Amino acid sequence: MKTNVYERRLPIRLAPCADELLSSWITRHAAFYATSPLAMLQHCLPDLRSLRAADLNLTEDQVVRIAHIFSIEPDTVRGMTFSDIPQSSRRMIASEPRQSCSSCRRAADGMPVILRSQFFGWRITCPLCGGTLRTIGGRDGPAPFGGYHDAALMGEEML
């Protein structure tokens, strides 16, 4: 019985990092297999046209298909997307990484790892280490709203 090329599992799977974004993980696989990130995505989901779409809007069938091809649990794939964010709040997700944690800058397999939390402008603390997030390309110096730190933490938890 012949297996469709789009259903074959990848022989090597790179482990995802904590809080890693699905497009980051797919990009690392693409680099490993010396192909483009979009080609890697379309190996799994031929109908998707962008990595951003995979981060935001995967159907349950698409999650299962990616999980099968990468030999990983569907819950792990879901956890790398923004599917846990209500549709009405997705407009608050940045289109590119906005912040980073200097303690948790990560690289895996020689490639930078992009974390989901880097897209959440409402976060002020790193979900991995609890450290303060810094704006990418931002200025050093005291936070202009430093006196509202406790209120900001409460708001972060609400969102």
Side-chain angles (χ1 to χ4, degrees):
M1 183 171 173
K2 191 173 179 181
T3 303
N4 185 337
V5 70
Y6 292 110
E7 295 178 8
R8 282 192 239 152
R9 290 185 171 183
L10 296 175
I12 305 291
R13 177 185 55 89
L14 307 175
C17 295
D19 195 42
E20 185 169 14
L21 189 62
L22 181 62
S23 58
S24 171
W25 190 59
I26 289 172
T27 298
R28 289 195 300 115
H29 279 88
F32 178 82
Y33 285 104
T35 189
S36 74
L38 188 57
M40 179 59 68
L41 174 65
Q42 290 179 336
H43 168 74
C44 306
L45 303 171
D47 296 336
L48 277 186
R49 298 288 175 232
S50 76
L51 291 167
R52 176 85 174 158
D55 290 335
L56 290 171
N57 299 311
L58 286 183
T59 66
E60 189 57 29
D61 288 343
Q62 291 171 325
V63 167
V64 168
R65 186 177 182 92
I66 287 176
H68 170 77
I69 291 173
F70 284 96
S71 302
I72 198 164
E73 291 297 318
D75 284 344
T76 303
V77 173
R78 252 182 248 102
M80 289 190 280
T81 69
F82 295 119
S83 63
D84 60 340
I85 307 290
Q87 192 69 35
S88 61
S89 297
R90 290 192 186 170
R91 61 186 165 80
M92 295 173 56
I93 299 170
S95 59
E96 59 189 35
R98 293 291 188 197
Q99 53 205 10
S100 67
C101 175
S102 56
S103 302
C104 290
R105 282 194 191 134
R106 297 191 176 239
D109 312 306
M111 300 252 335
V113 172
I114 299 172
L115 306 179
R116 290 176 68 243
S117 56
Q118 290 181 265
F119 290 79
F120 299 150
W122 65 85
R123 289 206 63 91
I124 62 168
T125 60
C126 175
L128 300 176
C129 74
T132 302
L133 293 174
R134 302 183 64 105
T135 301
I136 294 175
R139 295 177 287 163
D140 290 335
F145 304 108
Y148 299 100
H149 185 78
D150 291 338
L153 287 174
M154 288 181 357
E156 180 182 88
E157 280 187 44
M158 287 175 22
L159 289 171

